[in-house]
Amino acid sequence: MPRTKLGPYEVEYLQVLDEAGKLDKDLEPKLSKTDLLKLYRYMKLSRRADERMLKLQRQGRLGTLPVCVGQEASFCGSVLAIRDTDWFVGAYRELGGRLMRGEPIVNTLLYYNGYEEGSYNPNNDRTLPIQVVLGSQTLHAVGLAYASRLRGEKDTVALTILGDGASSEGDFHEAMNFAAVWNTPTVFLVQNNHWAISTPRDIQTKSETFAQKAIAYGVPGIQVDGNDALAVYAATAEAVERARKGGGPTLVEAVTYRMLMHTTADDPSKYRSKEAVEEWQVRDPLARMFNYLKKKKLWTDKQEDQLEAEIKAEIDEAVKAYENFTEGKPDAPFDYVYGEPHYYLEEQREELLEKIRKDAEDA
Amino acid sequence: MPRTKLGPYEVEYLQVLDEAGKLDKDLEPKLSKTDLLKLYRYMKLSRRADERMLKLQRQGRLGTLPVCVGQEASFCGSVLAIRDTDWFVGAYRELGGRLMRGEPIVNTLLYYNGYEEGSYNPNNDRTLPIQVVLGSQTLHAVGLAYASRLRGEKDTVALTILGDGASSEGDFHEAMNFAAVWNTPTVFLVQNNHWAISTPRDIQTKSETFAQKAIAYGVPGIQVDGNDALAVYAATAEAVERARKGGGPTLVEAVTYRMLMHTTADDPSKYRSKEAVEEWQVRDPLARMFNYLKKKKLWTDKQEDQLEAEIKAEIDEAVKAYENFTEGKPDAPFDYVYGEPHYYLEEQREELLEKIRKDAEDA
Amino acid sequence: MPKMNMVQALNLAFHQEMEKDETVVVMGEDVGVNGGVFRVTDGLYNAFGKERVMDTPLAESGIVGTAIGMAIGGLKPVAEMQFSGFAYIGFPQIENNAARMRNRSRGQFTVPMVLRMPYGGGVRALEHHSESKETYWAHTAGIKTVIPSGPRNARALLVAAIRDPDPVIFYEPKHSYRAFKEEVPEAEEVMELGKAQVTHEGTDLTVVTWGSMYHQTRRVVEEYMEQTGVSVELIDLLTIAPMDYKTITASVRKTGRCVVVQEAQRTLGPASEIIALINDHALMYLEAPVKRVSMFDVTMPYFSREQMFMPTPKQIRRAMSETLDF
Amino acid sequence: MPKMNMVQALNLAFHQEMEKDETVVVMGEDVGVNGGVFRVTDGLYNAFGKERVMDTPLAESGIVGTAIGMAIGGLKPVAEMQFSGFAYIGFPQIENNAARMRNRSRGQFTVPMVLRMPYGGGVRALEHHSESKETYWAHTAGIKTVIPSGPRNARALLVAAIRDPDPVIFYEPKHSYRAFKEEVPEAEEVMELGKAQVTHEGTDLTVVTWGSMYHQTRRVVEEYMEQTGVSVELIDLLTIAPMDYKTITASVRKTGRCVVVQEAQRTLGPASEIIALINDHALMYLEAPVKRVSMFDVTMPYFSREQMFMPTPKQIRRAMSETLDF
Ligand SMILES: Cc1ncc(C[n+]2csc(CCOP(=O)(O)OP(=O)(O)O)c2C)c(N)n1
Ligand SMILES: Cc1ncc(C[n+]2csc(CCOP(=O)(O)OP(=O)(O)O)c2C)c(N)n1
Ligand SMILES: [Mg+2]
Ligand SMILES: [Mg+2]
């Protein structure tokens, strides 16, 4: 008797619009014109905002920051698939996704200049702040999805984004497992951009794909071309739909590439070749969408110019608002230690204020 | 165009000797008579030692302890597949496996009576002590395997054992991932005994098997009948062989059952039915081995009686040694804080001794 | 009033709070069908169902991290770590997220959760089952660390912790779980967090302690007062952080002498902070050094040697005498 | 002697130690090809190869846990946590295993590993990149917690830490990584762990500090002495645990006055322990309360407000004056 096989276990791969601009009609998601243009707009806004922030940083006007250039399809495509009432639980490399959630650009600028004032989203209270501790947010997304279901919101889902590197953390494992066991409406999107700072994807995991990690938890997994906004949207939308209907979590891997440095503090020439990056240049998600929209007669060069101008104005305005920002009270951190005051903290607040006063006097 | 499939990914299932005593000749491992009898002997010794410890505990002569009844094939079969020079990194539910590693029974008794004196193995310095923190030991096994390889021990492997419950810990994920990426000679054995205290296997994971979790890491996985010592041996031996040859880690799932309480502090009637347990009674690993050996003419009823008597004597002796154990010096814990003394600790040692003296005087 | 041990009193708090507020949920390893390994959550599964009383997979970071999500999402999760010795696995989620979400989001998101865990020695348990490491939590801004000492205050503090708008670490002295009973009123009782309690007023010596050391110390104090006529002020700390130092320093200003009894290891145990606060606010009133009675700077020994390493009644008594005679 | 900053000095220690002892291995996120995000391990990958200089998957518990295995297995792993704010994820492995293996195995197995991590504020970094949480480690028996203050002692202490038979937490003040240079001898230098250093002898006031606060404090002290003629004894703690309290209490017995400067949050920061030890051994010599200058009991603010919350030079100076004038 031969030894028996268990399985087979499978995950899927999805590409709708390939890098040469070839469209798979059968797989094309049914997106309205409005949605398509919104998607494109935010991808572009994300790109331009990144570029501007990079410039500001180089001028010493912002602290260390990550940029998202090249990954716009992945985070904009996925965020397009959820509603404002769904939970969005990201990391830090999904600027356009956050902007789609209504986050003002100025908040991002404040955030990267060291102000808590910029680290929340005043326009959507179901978007968690930027998460620096890799992978830890994925558990929050499971808890949020659970809470929504228990509180009777039958069709709220939570979308969480993490990096290829973050998938190595124990928290990702525990989050996938809890989501599967509890069957929570949680969609996990791994942005596999091939790098975790200087660490290449192959040092991160030996598995051929990140999508197949779904098999460990008995849930569906799908790998998509992460530079193909239509594929990312379609896969996420399907996962969201399944989750809304009580079908539980899905793991989506978006294969993309980090085109620039990890953060402005990083020098990628230490660890990767220009050629590796160039290979990905031709797969640019923005160009691909642009061509698609034009082919579909939804977009013209003139509209493109208009959009660029609009976006520039929007970013200019945000930069102005940022530069006019007047610092809040110095003791603000004491307002956010506890919900109810404790005398010892209040005494310390007074000490801080006195210290500031005296430091100024001693000058 | 249809969406494409990735995979298929597979894991294997192995059973050699089924519960009805049917042997699959093609799969029967080539074990010498000596090895087979050794295997059986330790399975039996484990069972009897467990039974005696349970009795001692009920008489108040030992602290809280777990027993391993029903899982003997799983830990003895796997430990048989490694050498004394390999690393053994267990948890706490593998008594017979530890005894095979040369651990004196008396040490186990001392350990469960709260003495560090019993928590190491004087006869083998490649057996880590009992690990209480679930899953954390799996990472040690990866590091040990790595160290052995780097130090030029070309064919040393590390075998680590964990429970189904422990597989939910992030550490298990990280250990599997590190082992795979580093290609370390590490064999992971999940003893799936269906329970983690009161938590049934289905609340632990949604995946059909624990073996398929290997797919997440791109390494081989195999599920075996964990009450079939021959299958456990064969699967482990194969994994060990692969590891020795530089083929990297393997995940082995041994499907077995916790026949008794979690520990002596636990009352399983709170959470599981007698019927569920009875279902597994017929799959007893000891009976299966006994019949196999008899059929093979390697064992007789008379030998069985002799073995029982021998084992009883061995355990009696250990209990006597345990009862004659004279407590070591009270300040011993100070000897094991640091490898080199620090004056502050030495002062505290003096304080302890003085405290003991004065407490006695004040009596 | 019915007499209850601490397990029963905590269980009462759960039943009443979950009845009253349907956003309260309970989660952890074996807390559901089994009612928890110490039976603190007994009966909740049957009363409130598996959606509100969750047996989780075996993963402490997972428990804490999902509880954080639930708390942000409008629930009030009360999560159990089976023993405090395993809670370190959930610690990163507490330090990195629970303690910071209010500040990080400028109050947009808060984490009203409770993380309960049995701590402390004296129950003949295995390694990792006997530690007192409240310092790790108390040194973490943005959370509160609470330790009840008896059935009645355990119940009233747990209710307060559940209702508190912030993450509360609720350290339960497992040695006192079933050690004695107290009258616990059926009607709701809530105690304020962040407040110590003077349980015995006195003028000659201040003794500060908490958790399972409280009752041992109380017995020593009462016997001592009876035998010597010395007047001792005994303070049950109840909250480690934020610390109600004024209750302590007011007492020390009066007595001029102080003994602190802690089960924790010496270096950087809560006694160190108490001494620092006395230094800050009452140093010049001291007539003797503050005496700390504590575990030593060693890993908590296995149970055969555990008792010797923990503060003993005679040791506490000697510390009191020496401080008075200084 | 060549002049080096702390990064260069640490790098020198690595090169020499790895050359000398082939059981020394280096591991962590981005420590290999990239040489670490602060370049402390620069060049090691090329010099010693990827088997001894490992870029690991992104998992702190994995790094610490596998390092423990390596250490038991005969290597001397030096693992890096990219920032101390992420090291909590490795903390359970340290508390539960590294700190206990010697005791658990009665000395059969030991864990000669070093866990390095940059800590502290002042570098305009993101959330979680600016904490000083040495207390968590220092409250853990069985490990040593070491914090150098300058290039020369950083190098000599790292060598000692690598050779130490036990787990050492090596907290690197990232603010001082490149802030200044010192002469560092090419020839080997080793400093004893568990020993504080009196860097300035004095008679009127003792000032204790460590890590990145050391140099800021030193400047204040030197200026103060010059301007006022007061004689200050300055102590660089260097090891937080086990603490060399005698160097401190001997000094306080002499001066009668003490200021402790710490970057850590107030409650249960190392200053609390220093005050407790002064209480234990030198209380009656105190002519003024010990003054602690510290961060407040809040989450370290984002960098725009960070400096204000950390000890400032003027604040340190005022603390000295107030203590002298008390
Ligand atoms: C828990 C944790 N460990 C380490 C870091 C430091 N760090 C910041 S980003 C990064 C790499 C992240 O890689 P990946 O998850 O792939 O996301 P990407 O940056 O590529 O978007 C590291 C190591 C961190 N922020 N959190
Ligand atoms: C990290 C950790 N969390 C919790 C516990 C408490 N605990 C001890 S055994 C156990 C169940 C373990 O189940 P499993 O891994 O399946 O092993 P088994 O007991 O079935 O052999 C639990 C929750 C622990 N020891 N360690
Ligand atoms: Mg990445
Ligand atoms: Mg089990």
Side-chain angles (χ1 to χ4, degrees), chain A residues 164-165 191 193 195-196:
Chain A
D164 47 313
Q191 288 202 82
N193 66 2
W195 293 94

Side-chain angles (χ1 to χ4, degrees), chain B residues 349-363, chain C residues 291 308 312-319 321-323:
Chain B
R349 183 203 295 270
E350 283 314 310
E351 261 182 71
L352 169 76
L353 293 171
E354 191 184 302
K355 165 184 167 177
I356 294 172
R357 221 160 29 237
K358 287 199 176 158
D359 270 16
E361 280 167 18
D362 290 358
Chain C
K291 194 101 193 166
M308 251 168 355
T312 55
K314 288 175 192 160
Q315 184 187 16
I316 297 169
R317 191 186 165 109
R318 283 195 302 276
S321 290
E322 283 164 26
T323 305

Side-chain angles (χ1 to χ4, degrees), chain D residues 77-194:
Chain D
V78 186
E80 174 177 301
M81 302 277 96
Q82 203 161 76
F83 287 89
S84 66
F86 311 127
Y88 315 132
I89 303 170
F91 183 74
Q93 280 285 352
I94 294 289
E95 206 286 343
N96 289 330
N97 293 306
R100 291 164 176 269
M101 194 50 83
R102 181 184 289 280
N103 183 60
R104 184 185 293 156
S105 70
R106 293 253 127 183
Q108 187 182 28
F109 300 116
T110 59
V111 185
M113 70 182 278
V114 181
L115 194 59
R116 296 174 43 240
M117 58 192 89
Y119 86 95
V123 300
R124 291 172 54 86
L126 291 165
E127 198 190 350
H128 309 284
H129 290 68
S130 309
E131 286 61 33
S132 304
K133 292 286 195 170
E134 56 270 35
T135 285
Y136 296 146
W137 311 97
H139 184 59
T140 307
I143 62 176
K144 296 177 182 171
T145 303
V146 174
I147 310 188
S149 62
R152 187 161 179 174
N153 61 34
R155 185 272 197 112
L157 289 168
L158 180 57
V159 173
I162 293 173
R163 295 183 190 175
D164 194 86
D166 291 297
V168 177
I169 306 300
F170 200 78
Y171 243 47
E172 299 173 3
K174 71 171 94 62
H175 183 255
S176 305
Y177 266 154
R178 295 172 186 279
F180 59 95
K181 294 191 172 193
E182 276 177 1
E183 294 194 335
V184 178
E186 178 67 28
E188 173 177 309
E189 256 191 347
V190 195
M191 279 171 83
E192 198 181 327
L193 304 186

